[in-house]
Amino acid sequence: EGRLYAVYGKVYFDARLVALDAASGSRIWDVPLVGSMAASSLGDLGRGEARGLVASKSRVYVTRSGGGLDVFDAADGKAIGTIGKK
């Protein structure tokens, strides 16, 4: 649908997931990854680094070195849940 998705930030607890319009480069949404300092009061330092990203029409999946897979809604970036280690 003309979107690019990327994870940015040096460590998982401070990283973000962004959706960009492929034609203009403008941000569609920009959200903290699940377990980031912005998403919770304590943060989760044991989650590991974001290692990979796969997107479908409806979901964005981010794998992490801590052994889990975080799932986001591709329309608005809302965190849906985590599969595996939390």
Side-chain angles (χ1 to χ4, degrees), residues 4 13-14 22 24 29-31 34 39 49 52 57-58 61 63 68-69 78 80 84:
L4 301 172
F13 64 85
D14 196 28
S24 67
W29 47 258
D30 186 340
V31 298
V34 175
E49 299 174 340
K57 288 184 179 183
S58 61
Y61 305 90
T63 61
L69 175 73
K78 179 181 175 185
I80 294 172

Side-chain angles (χ1 to χ4, degrees), residues 37-59:
M37 291 299 214
S40 68
S41 59
L42 297 177
D44 185 354
L45 304 179
R47 297 177 75 85
E49 299 174 340
R51 291 290 170 106
L53 182 151
V54 174
S56 71
K57 288 184 179 183
S58 61
R59 301 285 186 257

Side-chain angles (χ1 to χ4, degrees), residues 12 33-36 40 43-48 64-71 80-86:
Y12 196 89
L33 287 177
V34 175
S36 74
S40 68
D44 185 354
L45 304 179
R47 297 177 75 85
R64 49 187 161 76
S65 63
L69 175 73
D70 293 322
V71 183
I80 294 172
T82 297
I83 300 167
K85 293 183 181 179
K86 295 182 181 186

